[in-house]
Amino acid sequence: MTPTDRLLPVNEAIDRLEAQIRESRQRGEFTDPLIVGIHTGGVWVADALHRALGCTEPLGRLNITFYRDDFHTLGLHPQVSPSDLSVDVDGRDIILVDDVLFTGRTVRAAMNELFDYGRPRCIALAVLYQRDGRELPICADWAGQEVALGPDEQIHVDGPEPITARLVSSKES
Amino acid sequence: MAVNFVRPKIPKFAPDPWAIQFDEQGHLRHLLTIEGLGPQWITRILDTAEGFVSVTDREIKKVPLLRGRTVVNLFFESSTRTRTTFELAAKRLSADVLNLNLATSATKKGESLLDTLRNIEAMQADMFVVRHEQSGAAHFIARHVAPHVSVLNAGDGWHSHPTQALLDAFTIRRHKGDFTPLRVAIVGDIRHSRVARSQMHVLNSLNVGELRVIAPRTLIPTDVEKLGVRVFHDMREGLRDVDVIIMLRLQRERMESGLLPSEEEFYRLYGLTEEKLAWAKDDAIVMHPGPANRGVEIESSVADGPQSVILEQVSNGIGVRMAVMSLCMSANRGENA
């Protein structure tokens, strides 16, 4: 996928994601995955994928607030809705879903939390947008779009229905 | 359902005694009393506790939030249950925990409280959980700790027991949802109860429909109506149509002689039996901060019965204390919360 400085519309990015995951499943990978979204944008995307892929088991929701490594500098988020993983994750193939992959710290925290629920067989990462700026050696297995952004740019994802995304520049605000 | 009750005016207190609970940015630094917290902070603590209660339902009941931090339980007065739940809360946040039973050590040997504090601070403590027989002890300690240390009041004299009141409110909210249509009755030894005082403040802050206290005249403090409650001396009248019954322990150790003819008579008039419970609403819940004196405040079959949420209160206490600890530590370290 070629890096681009323009954002693909969310529905197109989800279609691309879905196609990539279906391809993997046709190769025999992730035949019976558990889909887990990271609160909040990741849950919206996970929900769309969950419906598109026709998964029957309930969608998992992770709120990584209690696992963040910046708690001592940023504090506790005022709205902490509990994580919800009603299905046993032991030995399962998990598709972890987030809206934007940036530094990689959120995904690290989510994996830490997942392992407190049990020991999955494997975890794959699906993100709507994969941008530059990684601070940890983490990359997505499937991305709706790869985006190169300037140092002042951010992607804002809104939802839940419809999910929308826009580029925001701190220079403008 | 609308409740026809004109709330007595609650006196306005100068903010200063409670301002110490907040840092310069207005974030919670200590939890000393319910007064001054306001409904927003109370609700925020209860909302945060929801997340932590779900942690305690998991197979691995631990999150890394306070990893590397040290919580010191300073108990100048014995209390196994409160100390244990604070300890468990801190450990579930991955903090290191020191339990110091000061009722039997340092200060008894002549060391001043401030010297004891300085020594424990030198052990790189980040939070003190304080239980003391003197009202205001936690405030005193909060005024003298290093800037990075938070103080949580785990019960001081007859004054305050904020985390107990918060966990009670949390338990009521889980069962009943909105507070505004609720009638809540606090029954028993109101006079000697720091828990009752904190419960009145928390429930009034959350705008409970009607708050009642039921007790013999000798066990009700003067001017209790100023705390926003209706007073009843008769259980049948007081329990009529209530949604929540909070029984209190008879604080025999704090009681002067002559306040009660006998425990038997107290039980006959004010002990919560199945018969008296039937006077409340059918779906009323029964609470008790523990430890319950069975056959003195409450009949065993009620304490263990289907309307009792006493054990839930204990479990919820861990989540609420995790919430308070993390919010205080968060404010202490960060620039915004």
Side-chain angles (χ1 to χ4, degrees):
Chain A
M1 200 173 286
T2 313
T4 168
D5 57 0
R6 289 181 54 215
L7 275 191
L8 206 60
V10 168
N11 54 349
E12 285 181 41
I14 287 177
D15 287 348
R16 285 193 187 186
L17 259 184
E18 184 200 339
Q20 292 172 64
I21 295 170
R22 281 192 191 281
E23 223 173 273
S24 288
R25 293 175 75 179
Q26 279 162 7
R27 289 196 300 267
E29 302 158 2
F30 294 92
T31 49
D32 182 27
L34 196 59
I35 299 194
V36 178
I38 300 174
H39 186 78
T40 43
V43 172
W44 304 331
V45 179
D47 187 39
L49 281 176
H50 189 264
R51 278 183 274 122
L53 293 168
C55 296
T56 51
E57 282 180 298
L59 179 71
R61 294 171 176 81
L62 278 185
N63 188 330
I64 55 102
T65 301
F66 300 147
Y67 290 77
R68 286 168 54 143
D69 59 8
D70 54 2
F71 164 70
H72 293 304
T73 52
L74 288 181
L76 203 58
H77 193 277
Q79 255 90 49
V80 184
S81 56
S83 293
D84 172 19
L85 276 180
S86 48
V87 178
D88 189 1
V89 301
D90 267 338
R92 295 297 303 267
D93 293 358
I94 307 256
I95 297 179
L96 188 62
V97 183
D98 205 359
D99 47 2
V100 180
L101 175 59
F102 181 23
T103 64
R105 289 174 189 271
T106 299
V107 174
R108 185 196 96 127
M111 286 195 288
N112 284 354
E113 182 164 8
L114 268 177
F115 274 86
D116 280 354
Y117 279 93
R119 185 180 183 278
R121 193 191 73 83
C122 64
I123 302 173
L125 178 63
V127 297
L128 203 53
Y129 302 108
Q130 176 162 246
R131 63 160 291 182
D132 48 346
R134 212 78 66 248
E135 293 169 2
L136 298 174
I138 287 172
C139 74
D141 294 273
W142 308 295
Q145 185 189 15
E146 290 185 28
V147 198
L149 299 183
D152 303 313
E153 287 183 311
Q154 281 190 326
I155 302 172
H156 276 203
V157 176
D158 293 311
E161 201 61 57
I163 310 171
T164 56
R166 61 197 161 95
L167 275 178
V168 177
S169 170
S170 59
K171 276 181 182 169
E172 292 165 15
S173 58
Chain B
M1 187 183 74
V3 176
N4 299 317
F5 169 58
V6 179
R7 183 183 303 285
K9 196 174 177 191
I10 301 169
K12 284 189 177 164
F13 299 98
D16 183 54
W18 310 306
I20 187 177
Q21 298 193 115
F22 298 95
D23 64 16
E24 286 171 1
Q25 286 80 42
H27 302 134
L28 194 65
R29 180 184 164 197
H30 309 295
L31 182 65
L32 308 173
T33 63
I34 296 294
E35 297 101 300
L37 279 187
Q40 278 184 328
W41 268 102
I42 291 170
T43 304
R44 181 161 174 196
I45 291 168
L46 303 189
D47 290 348
T48 307
E50 285 288 350
F52 285 120
V53 165
S54 74
V55 169
T56 64
D57 291 339
R58 295 184 198 171
E59 197 171 322
I60 295 177
K61 300 170 181 57
K62 231 171 159 64
V63 294
L65 219 50
L66 298 191
R67 191 163 158 260
R69 305 292 161 200
T70 303
V71 175
V72 181
N73 282 331
L74 291 176
F75 275 59
F76 296 89
E77 184 185 76
S78 301
S79 167
T80 308
R81 185 189 317 236
T82 302
R83 188 190 55 71
T84 307
T85 50
F86 268 109
E87 179 176 354
L88 215 45
K91 285 181 170 170
R92 286 184 177 168
L93 290 166
S94 304
D96 295 318
V97 184
L98 281 176
N99 289 311
L100 299 180
N101 184 359
L102 295 159
T104 55
S105 63
T107 49
K108 294 279 185 223
K109 293 177 186 169
E111 186 182 50
S112 77
L113 179 56
L114 286 179
D115 280 340
T116 304
L117 277 183
R118 296 284 171 262
N119 275 287
I120 299 165
E121 270 180 12
M123 299 173 198
Q124 282 77 48
D126 297 285
M127 175 172 275
F128 291 151
V129 178
V130 180
R131 161 65 69 95
H132 203 287
E133 63 196 4
Q134 295 295 325
S135 300
H139 269 89
F140 176 82
I141 290 172
R143 286 188 191 284
H144 290 90
V145 289
H148 71 282
V149 177
S150 287
V151 177
L152 304 190
N153 186 359
D156 61 331
W158 296 12
H159 171 236
S160 186
H161 197 347
T163 56
Q164 177 68 47
L166 287 164
L167 77 88
D168 293 336
F170 181 82
T171 307
I172 293 171
R173 193 175 80 164
R174 281 205 137 191
H175 280 269
K176 302 288 181 186
D178 184 16
F179 287 86
T180 52
L182 296 183
R183 281 196 182 91
V184 178
I186 307 175
V187 186
D189 188 359
I190 313 291
R191 178 169 174 168
H192 300 98
S193 176
R194 55 191 168 211
V195 173
R197 272 173 189 69
S198 293
Q199 283 165 341
M200 290 174 202
H201 287 299
V202 89
L203 291 170
N204 278 322
S205 279
L206 294 171
N207 208 21
V208 72
E210 185 183 333
L211 188 54
R212 303 176 176 183
V213 293
I214 312 172
R217 289 176 201 284
T218 50
L219 294 185
I220 290 194
T222 324
D223 290 342
V224 72
E225 291 92 343
K226 288 181 181 170
L227 294 172
V229 298
R230 280 181 79 184
V231 176
F232 291 82
H233 302 297
D234 179 87
M235 278 288 262
R236 186 187 282 266
E237 255 182 72
L239 289 182
R240 185 176 297 139
D241 291 332
V242 301
D243 302 275
V244 178
I245 306 170
I246 304 176
M247 300 303 297
L248 297 175
R249 186 171 70 86
L250 269 187
Q251 306 275 341
R252 285 173 284 203
E253 70 279 12
R254 295 182 199 158
M255 215 172 273
E256 301 150 21
S257 60
L259 290 179
L260 275 182
S262 69
E263 287 182 353
E264 289 73 25
E265 187 172 333
F266 179 83
Y267 182 62
R268 189 169 57 78
L269 294 171
Y270 296 99
L272 189 64
T273 57
E274 288 188 50
E275 186 193 348
K276 293 190 191 107
L277 178 56
W279 298 336
K281 278 190 182 169
D282 291 343
D283 62 349
I285 56 168
V286 175
M287 304 172 72
H288 193 303
N293 297 313
R294 290 165 187 252
V296 178
E297 303 114 29
I298 192 163
E299 189 175 28
S300 259
S301 61
V302 174
D304 303 328
Q307 287 169 262
S308 168
V309 297
I310 295 172
L311 291 178
E312 276 178 53
Q313 286 174 267
V314 179
S315 306
N316 291 342
I318 299 168
V320 168
R321 284 165 179 138
M322 288 169 80
V324 170
M325 285 177 165
S326 53
L327 285 168
C328 285
M329 292 284 213
S330 158
N332 238 354
R333 308 281 164 190
E335 289 175 354
N336 78 71

